[in-house]
Amino acid sequence: MPKKKNEESQKEQSDRFREAVRKLVAAGELNPTEAEEAFERAMIDIARKSQANS
């Protein structure tokens, strides 16, 4: 059975995401600085692999 399509607007979805992030940060389960550093490392790794395959 296919999943029911989410009918919330982009703004509602964004608001729900921001609230979830706020709760994770408040609970100490998400550190924005660590998340940014991990994202940057991942992007650098992807760029290196892309250049190696060129």
Side-chain angles (χ1 to χ4, degrees):
M1 181 174 222
K3 290 184 177 180
K4 181 179 177 185
K5 187 173 181 176
N6 194 343
E7 296 182 11
E8 65 188 353
S9 71
Q10 182 64 44
K11 181 175 178 350
E12 290 169 329
Q13 184 180 17
S14 295
D15 291 344
R16 185 172 49 85
F17 178 80
R18 284 188 187 97
E19 179 63 17
V21 169
R22 187 194 64 73
K23 287 179 181 179
L24 288 171
V25 170
E29 296 180 25
L30 178 64
N31 181 317
T33 303
E34 289 176 4
E36 179 70 21
E37 290 170 356
F39 178 77
E40 290 298 324
R41 285 192 306 271
M43 293 298 103
I44 290 169
D45 189 42
I46 290 170
R48 286 182 184 153
K49 288 178 182 177
S50 178
Q51 288 176 350
N53 291 336
S54 297

